[in-house]
Coordinates of all heavy atoms in Angstrom, one line a residue:
M452 N 101.0 67.1 118.9 CA 100.8 68.6 118.9 C 102.1 69.3 119.1 O 102.4 70.4 118.4 CB 99.8 68.9 120.1 CG 99.1 70.3 120.0 SD 98.1 70.3 118.4 CE 97.7 72.0 118.4
E453 N 103.0 68.9 119.9 CA 104.3 69.5 120.0 C 105.1 69.4 118.7 O 105.8 70.4 118.4 CB 105.1 68.8 121.1 CG 104.8 69.4 122.5 CD 105.7 68.7 123.6 OE1 106.8 68.2 123.2 OE2 105.2 68.5 124.7
L454 N 104.9 68.2 118.0 CA 105.7 68.1 116.7 C 105.2 69.2 115.7 O 106.0 69.7 115.1 CB 105.4 66.7 116.2 CG 106.1 66.4 114.9 CD1 107.6 66.4 115.1 CD2 105.6 65.0 114.4
L455 N 103.9 69.4 115.8 CA 103.4 70.5 114.8 C 104.1 71.9 115.2 O 104.5 72.6 114.2 CB 101.9 70.5 115.0 CG 101.2 71.5 114.0 CD1 101.3 70.9 112.6 CD2 99.7 71.6 114.3
C456 N 104.1 72.2 116.4 CA 104.8 73.5 116.8 C 106.2 73.5 116.3 O 106.7 74.5 115.8 CB 104.8 73.6 118.3 SG 103.1 74.0 118.9
V457 N 107.0 72.4 116.5 CA 108.4 72.4 116.0 C 108.5 72.6 114.6 O 109.3 73.3 114.0 CB 109.0 71.0 116.5 CG1 110.4 70.8 115.8 CG2 109.1 70.9 117.9
I458 N 107.6 72.0 113.8 CA 107.6 72.1 112.3 C 107.3 73.6 112.0 O 108.0 74.1 111.2 CB 106.5 71.2 111.7 CG1 107.0 69.7 111.8 CG2 106.3 71.5 110.2 CD1 106.0 68.7 111.5
V459 N 106.3 74.2 112.6 CA 105.9 75.6 112.3 C 107.1 76.5 112.6 O 107.5 77.4 111.8 CB 104.7 76.0 113.1 CG1 104.5 77.5 113.1 CG2 103.5 75.3 112.6
V460 N 107.8 76.3 113.8 CA 108.9 77.1 114.1 C 110.0 77.0 113.1 O 110.7 77.9 112.7 CB 109.4 76.8 115.5 CG1 110.8 77.4 115.8 CG2 108.4 77.3 116.6
A461 N 110.3 75.6 112.7 CA 111.3 75.4 111.7 C 111.1 76.1 110.4 O 112.0 76.7 109.8 CB 111.4 73.9 111.5
I462 N 109.8 76.1 109.9 CA 109.5 76.8 108.7 C 109.7 78.3 108.8 O 110.3 78.9 107.9 CB 108.0 76.5 108.4 CG1 107.9 75.1 107.9 CG2 107.5 77.4 107.3 CD1 106.4 74.6 107.8
I463 N 109.4 78.8 110.0 CA 109.6 80.3 110.2 C 111.1 80.6 110.1 O 111.6 81.6 109.5 CB 108.9 80.8 111.5 CG1 107.4 80.7 111.3 CG2 109.4 82.2 111.8 CD1 106.6 80.9 112.6
I464 N 111.9 79.8 110.8 CA 113.3 80.0 110.8 C 113.9 79.9 109.4 O 114.7 80.7 109.0 CB 114.1 79.0 111.7 CG1 113.7 79.4 113.2 CG2 115.5 79.0 111.6 CD1 114.1 78.3 114.2
I465 N 113.5 78.9 108.7 CA 114.0 78.8 107.3 C 113.6 79.9 106.4 O 114.4 80.6 105.6 CB 113.5 77.5 106.6 CG1 114.1 76.3 107.3 CG2 113.7 77.4 105.1 CD1 113.5 74.9 107.0
W466 N 112.4 80.5 106.6 CA 111.8 81.6 105.8 C 112.7 82.9 106.1 O 113.1 83.6 105.2 CB 110.3 81.8 106.2 CG 109.8 83.0 105.5 CD1 109.3 83.0 104.2 CD2 109.4 84.3 106.0 NE1 108.8 84.2 103.8 CE2 108.9 85.0 105.0 CE3 109.6 84.8 107.3 CZ2 108.4 86.3 105.1 CZ3 109.2 86.1 107.4 CH2 108.6 86.9 106.4
I467 N 113.0 83.1 107.4 CA 113.8 84.2 107.8 C 115.2 84.1 107.2 O 115.8 85.1 106.7 CB 113.9 84.3 109.4 CG1 112.4 84.8 109.9 CG2 114.9 85.4 109.8 CD1 112.3 84.7 111.3
A468 N 115.8 82.9 107.2 CA 117.1 82.6 106.7 C 117.2 83.0 105.2 O 118.1 83.6 104.7 CB 117.6 81.3 107.0
V469 N 116.2 82.5 104.5 CA 116.1 82.7 103.1 C 116.0 84.3 102.8 O 116.6 84.8 101.9 CB 114.9 82.0 102.4 CG1 114.6 82.5 101.0 CG2 115.2 80.5 102.4
K470 N 115.1 84.9 103.5 CA 115.0 86.4 103.4 C 116.3 87.1 103.6 O 116.7 88.0 102.9 CB 114.0 87.0 104.4 CG 112.5 86.7 104.0 CD 112.1 87.7 103.0 CE 110.6 87.4 102.6 NZ 110.2 88.3 101.5
A471 N 117.0 86.6 104.7 CA 118.2 87.4 105.1 C 119.4 87.0 104.1 O 120.3 87.8 104.0 CB 118.7 86.9 106.5
S472 N 119.3 85.9 103.4 CA 120.4 85.5 102.5 C 120.2 85.9 101.1 O 120.4 85.1 100.2 CB 120.7 84.0 102.6 OG 119.6 83.3 102.1
G473 N 119.6 87.0 100.9 CA 119.5 87.5 99.5 C 118.1 87.1 98.9 O 118.0 87.1 97.7
G474 N 117.2 86.8 99.7 CA 115.9 86.5 99.1 C 115.2 87.7 98.4 O 114.3 87.5 97.7
N475 N 115.7 88.9 98.7 CA 115.1 90.1 98.0 C 115.9 90.6 96.8 O 115.6 91.5 96.2 CB 115.1 91.2 99.0 CG 114.0 91.0 100.1 OD1 112.9 90.4 99.8 ND2 114.3 91.4 101.3
N476 N 116.9 89.8 96.4 CA 117.7 90.2 95.3 C 117.1 89.7 94.0 O 117.6 88.8 93.3 CB 119.1 89.6 95.5 CG 119.9 90.3 96.6 OD1 119.5 91.4 97.0 ND2 121.0 89.7 97.0
N477 N 115.9 90.3 93.7 CA 115.1 89.8 92.6 C 115.0 90.9 91.5 O 114.2 90.8 90.6 CB 113.7 89.5 93.1 CG 113.7 88.2 93.9 OD1 114.6 87.3 93.7 ND2 112.8 88.1 94.8
Y478 N 115.9 91.9 91.6 CA 115.8 93.0 90.6 C 117.1 93.1 89.9 O 118.2 93.0 90.5 CB 115.4 94.3 91.2 CG 114.0 94.3 91.8 CD1 113.8 93.9 93.1 CD2 113.0 94.8 91.0 CE1 112.5 93.9 93.6 CE2 111.8 94.8 91.5 CZ 111.5 94.4 92.9 OH 110.2 94.4 93.3
R479 N 117.0 93.4 88.6 CA 118.3 93.8 87.8 C 117.9 94.8 86.8 O 116.7 94.8 86.3 CB 119.0 92.6 87.2 CG 118.5 92.3 85.8 CD 119.1 91.1 85.1 NE 120.4 90.7 85.6 CZ 120.9 89.5 85.1 NH1 120.3 88.8 84.2 NH2 122.1 89.2 85.4
N480 N 118.7 95.7 86.5 CA 118.4 96.7 85.4 C 119.3 96.4 84.2 O 120.5 96.0 84.3 CB 118.7 98.1 85.9 CG 117.6 98.7 86.8 OD1 116.9 97.9 87.5 ND2 117.4 99.9 86.7
S481 N 118.7 96.6 83.0 CA 119.6 96.5 81.8 C 119.7 97.8 81.2 O 118.8 98.6 81.2 CB 118.9 95.4 80.8 OG 117.6 95.8 80.5
C482 N 120.8 98.1 80.6 CA 121.1 99.3 80.0 C 120.3 99.5 78.6 O 120.2 98.5 77.9 CB 122.6 99.4 79.7 SG 123.1 100.9 78.9
G483 N 119.8 100.6 78.3 CA 119.2 100.9 77.1 C 120.2 101.2 75.9 O 119.6 101.3 74.8
E484 N 121.4 101.4 76.3 CA 122.4 101.8 75.2 C 123.3 100.7 74.8 O 123.8 100.7 73.7 CB 123.2 103.0 75.7 CG 122.3 104.2 76.3 CD 121.3 104.6 75.3 OE1 121.7 104.8 74.1 OE2 120.1 104.9 75.7
C485 N 123.5 99.8 75.7 CA 124.4 98.7 75.3 C 123.9 97.4 76.0 O 122.8 97.4 76.5 CB 125.9 99.0 75.9 SG 126.1 99.0 77.6
R486 N 124.7 96.4 76.0 CA 124.2 95.1 76.6 C 124.5 94.9 78.0 O 124.3 93.8 78.6 CB 124.8 93.9 75.7 CG 124.4 93.9 74.3 CD 125.0 92.8 73.5 NE 124.4 91.5 73.9 CZ 123.3 91.0 73.4 NH1 122.7 91.7 72.5 NH2 122.8 89.9 73.8
Y487 N 124.9 96.0 78.7 CA 125.2 95.9 80.1 C 123.9 95.5 81.0 O 122.9 96.1 80.7 CB 125.8 97.2 80.6 CG 126.1 97.2 82.1 CD1 127.2 96.6 82.6 CD2 125.1 97.8 83.0 CE1 127.3 96.6 84.0 CE2 125.3 97.8 84.4 CZ 126.5 97.2 84.8 OH 126.7 97.3 86.2
R488 N 124.1 94.6 81.9 CA 123.0 94.4 82.9 C 123.7 94.5 84.3 O 124.8 93.9 84.4 CB 122.4 93.0 82.7 CG 121.6 92.8 81.5 CD 121.3 91.3 81.4 NE 120.4 91.0 80.3 CZ 120.1 89.8 80.0 NH1 120.5 88.9 80.8 NH2 119.1 89.5 79.1
T489 N 122.9 94.9 85.2 CA 123.5 94.8 86.6 C 123.3 93.3 87.1 O 122.6 92.6 86.4 CB 122.7 95.7 87.6 OG1 121.4 95.2 87.7 CG2 122.6 97.1 87.0
T490 N 124.0 93.0 88.2 CA 123.7 91.7 88.8 C 122.3 91.7 89.5 O 121.8 92.8 89.7 CB 124.8 91.4 89.8 OG1 124.8 92.5 90.8 CG2 126.2 91.3 89.2
W491 N 121.8 90.6 89.8 CA 120.6 90.5 90.6 C 120.8 91.1 91.9 O 121.8 90.8 92.6 CB 120.2 89.1 90.7 CG 119.7 88.4 89.5 CD1 120.3 87.5 88.8 CD2 118.4 88.8 88.8 NE1 119.5 87.2 87.6 CE2 118.4 87.9 87.6 CE3 117.4 89.6 89.0 CZ2 117.4 88.0 86.7 CZ3 116.4 89.7 88.1 CH2 116.3 88.8 87.0
S492 N 120.0 92.0 92.3 CA 120.2 92.8 93.5 C 118.8 93.2 94.1 O 117.8 92.9 93.5 CB 121.1 93.9 93.2 OG 121.5 94.6 94.5
T493 N 118.9 94.1 95.1 CA 117.6 94.7 95.5 C 117.3 95.8 94.5 O 118.1 96.3 93.7 CB 117.8 95.4 96.9 OG1 118.8 96.3 96.8 CG2 118.2 94.4 97.9
Q494 N 116.0 96.2 94.6 CA 115.6 97.2 93.6 C 116.4 98.5 93.7 O 116.8 99.0 92.7 CB 114.1 97.5 93.9 CG 113.4 98.5 92.9 CD 111.9 98.5 93.0 OE1 111.3 98.1 94.0 NE2 111.3 98.9 91.9
S495 N 116.6 99.0 94.9 CA 117.4 100.2 95.0 C 118.8 100.0 94.6 O 119.4 100.9 94.0 CB 117.3 100.8 96.5 OG 117.8 99.8 97.4
Q496 N 119.4 98.8 94.9 CA 120.8 98.6 94.5 C 121.0 98.6 93.0 O 121.9 99.1 92.4 CB 121.3 97.4 95.3 CG 122.8 97.1 94.9 CD 123.7 98.2 95.4 OE1 123.7 98.6 96.6 NE2 124.6 98.7 94.6
A497 N 120.0 97.9 92.4 CA 120.0 97.8 90.9 C 119.9 99.1 90.3 O 120.6 99.4 89.2 CB 118.8 96.8 90.5
E498 N 119.1 100.0 90.9 CA 119.0 101.3 90.3 C 120.2 102.1 90.5 O 120.7 102.8 89.6 CB 117.8 102.1 91.0 CG 116.4 101.6 90.3 CD 115.2 102.0 91.2 OE1 115.4 102.8 92.1 OE2 114.1 101.5 90.8
R499 N 120.8 102.0 91.6 CA 122.1 102.7 91.9 C 123.2 102.2 90.9 O 123.9 103.0 90.3 CB 122.7 102.4 93.3 CG 122.0 103.4 94.3 CD 122.7 103.4 95.6 NE 122.7 102.1 96.3 CZ 121.7 101.8 97.1 NH1 120.7 102.7 97.4 NH2 121.7 100.6 97.7
D500 N 123.1 100.8 90.6 CA 124.2 100.3 89.7 C 124.0 100.8 88.3 O 125.0 101.1 87.6 CB 124.1 98.7 89.7 CG 124.6 98.1 90.9 OD1 125.2 98.8 91.7 OD2 124.4 96.9 91.2
I501 N 122.7 100.9 87.8 CA 122.5 101.3 86.4 C 122.9 102.8 86.3 O 123.4 103.2 85.3 CB 121.1 101.0 86.0 CG1 121.1 100.9 84.4 CG2 120.0 101.8 86.4 CD1 121.9 99.8 83.7
V502 N 122.6 103.6 87.3 CA 122.9 105.0 87.3 C 124.4 105.2 87.2 O 125.0 105.9 86.4 CB 122.3 105.8 88.5 CG1 122.9 107.1 88.6 CG2 120.7 105.8 88.3
E503 N 125.1 104.3 88.0 CA 126.6 104.4 88.0 C 127.1 104.0 86.7 O 128.0 104.6 86.1 CB 127.1 103.4 89.1 CG 128.6 103.3 89.2 CD 129.2 104.5 89.9 OE1 128.5 105.4 90.4 OE2 130.5 104.6 89.9
H504 N 126.6 103.0 86.0 CA 126.9 102.5 84.7 C 126.7 103.6 83.7 O 127.6 103.9 82.9 CB 126.2 101.3 84.3 CG 126.3 100.9 82.8 ND1 127.4 100.3 82.3 CD2 125.5 101.1 81.8 CE1 127.3 100.2 80.9 NE2 126.1 100.7 80.7
Y505 N 125.6 104.3 83.7 CA 125.4 105.4 82.7 C 126.4 106.5 82.9 O 126.9 107.1 82.0 CB 123.9 105.9 82.9 CG 123.0 105.3 81.9 CD1 122.4 104.0 82.2 CD2 122.6 105.9 80.7 CE1 121.5 103.4 81.3 CE2 121.7 105.3 79.8 CZ 121.2 104.0 80.1 OH 120.4 103.4 79.3
R506 N 126.7 106.7 84.2 CA 127.6 107.8 84.5 C 129.0 107.5 83.9 O 129.7 108.4 83.4 CB 127.7 108.0 86.0 CG 128.2 109.3 86.5 CD 127.9 109.6 87.9 NE 128.5 108.6 88.9 CZ 129.8 108.7 89.2 NH1 130.5 109.7 88.9 NH2 130.3 107.8 90.1
N507 N 129.4 106.2 84.0 CA 130.7 105.8 83.5 C 130.7 105.6 82.0 O 131.7 106.0 81.3 CB 131.2 104.5 84.2 CG 131.4 104.7 85.7 OD1 131.9 105.8 86.1 ND2 131.2 103.7 86.5
S508 N 129.7 105.0 81.4 CA 129.8 104.6 80.0 C 129.0 105.5 79.1 O 129.3 105.5 77.9 CB 129.2 103.2 80.0 OG 129.9 102.3 80.8
H509 N 127.9 106.2 79.6 CA 127.1 107.0 78.7 C 126.9 108.3 79.4 O 125.7 108.7 79.8 CB 125.8 106.3 78.4 CG 125.9 104.8 78.1 ND1 126.5 104.3 76.9 CD2 125.5 103.7 78.8 CE1 126.5 103.0 77.0 NE2 125.9 102.6 78.1
P510 N 127.9 109.1 79.7 CA 127.7 110.2 80.5 C 126.8 111.3 79.9 O 126.3 112.1 80.7 CB 129.2 110.8 80.7 CG 129.9 110.2 79.6 CD 129.3 108.9 79.3
D511 N 126.6 111.3 78.6 CA 125.7 112.3 78.0 C 124.3 111.9 77.9 O 123.4 112.7 77.4 CB 126.3 112.6 76.5 CG 127.7 113.2 76.6 OD1 128.1 113.8 77.6 OD2 128.4 113.0 75.6
I512 N 123.9 110.7 78.3 CA 122.6 110.2 78.2 C 122.0 110.0 79.6 O 122.7 109.5 80.5 CB 122.6 108.8 77.5 CG1 123.2 109.0 76.1 CG2 121.2 108.2 77.4 CD1 123.5 107.7 75.4
D513 N 120.7 110.4 79.7 CA 120.1 110.1 81.0 C 119.8 108.6 81.3 O 119.6 107.9 80.4 CB 118.7 110.8 81.0 CG 118.8 112.3 81.1 OD1 119.8 112.8 81.6 OD2 117.8 113.0 80.6
P514 N 120.0 108.1 82.5 CA 119.8 106.7 82.8 C 118.5 106.2 82.3 O 117.4 106.9 82.5 CB 120.0 106.6 84.3 CG 120.8 107.8 84.7 CD 120.4 108.9 83.6
G515 N 118.5 105.1 81.6 CA 117.2 104.5 81.2 C 117.3 103.0 81.2 O 117.9 102.4 82.1
G516 N 116.8 102.4 80.2 CA 116.9 101.0 80.1 C 115.7 100.3 80.8 O 114.6 101.0 81.0
R517 N 115.8 99.1 81.1 CA 114.6 98.4 81.8 C 115.0 97.8 83.1 O 116.1 97.4 83.3 CB 114.2 97.3 80.8 CG 113.5 97.8 79.5 CD 112.9 96.6 78.8 NE 112.0 95.8 79.6 CZ 111.7 94.6 79.4 NH1 112.1 93.9 78.3 NH2 110.8 94.0 80.2
Q518 N 114.0 97.6 83.9 CA 114.2 96.9 85.2 C 113.5 95.5 85.0 O 112.4 95.4 84.5 CB 113.5 97.6 86.3 CG 113.8 96.9 87.7 CD 113.6 97.8 88.8 OE1 112.6 98.1 89.2 NE2 114.8 98.3 89.4
H519 N 114.2 94.5 85.4 CA 113.6 93.1 85.4 C 113.4 92.6 86.8 O 114.2 92.9 87.7 CB 114.7 92.2 84.7 CG 115.0 92.8 83.3 ND1 114.4 92.5 82.2 CD2 116.1 93.5 83.0 CE1 115.0 93.1 81.2 NE2 116.0 93.7 81.6
Y520 N 112.3 91.9 86.9 CA 112.0 91.3 88.2 C 111.9 89.8 88.1 O 111.4 89.3 87.1 CB 110.7 91.8 88.7 CG 110.2 91.1 90.0 CD1 110.8 91.5 91.2 CD2 109.2 90.1 90.0 CE1 110.5 90.8 92.4 CE2 108.8 89.5 91.2 CZ 109.4 89.9 92.4 OH 109.1 89.2 93.5
R521 N 112.6 89.1 88.9 CA 112.6 87.6 88.9 C 111.7 87.1 89.9 O 111.9 87.4 91.1 CB 114.1 87.2 89.0 CG 114.3 86.1 90.0 CD 115.8 85.7 89.9 NE 116.5 86.2 91.0 CZ 117.8 85.9 91.4 NH1 118.5 85.1 90.6 NH2 118.4 86.3 92.5
G522 N 110.6 86.6 89.6 CA 109.6 86.0 90.5 C 110.1 84.7 91.1 O 111.0 84.1 90.6
R523 N 109.5 84.4 92.2 CA 109.9 83.2 92.9 C 108.8 82.2 92.9 O 107.6 82.6 93.0 CB 110.3 83.5 94.4 CG 111.5 84.2 94.4 CD 112.2 84.0 95.8 NE 113.6 84.3 95.5 CZ 114.6 83.4 96.0 NH1 114.3 82.3 96.6 NH2 115.9 83.7 95.7
Ligands
ZN45 ZN1 125.4 100.8 78.7

C-alpha cells in the first residue's frame, strides 16, 4: 500500500516537472505572407511573435497566417 502511494506521488511530481519545463509550448504561428514560422511556444507568446514578425517584415499588412497546435 505504501509503495502505491510512492508511485502516485512520483507520477504527480513528474507531471508537474513536464508542465513546468515547457509542456505548454504547443503552439506556433506561421506567416501568411512568407515562410516564416514562430518557434513552438505558448499560445500568447506565439501570437506576440507573429505580430512582431508582421510589424518588422510586412508593416503594411494586418497580422494573419495560421496557428498550429501540436498535440501530445
Ligand atoms: Zn512573413
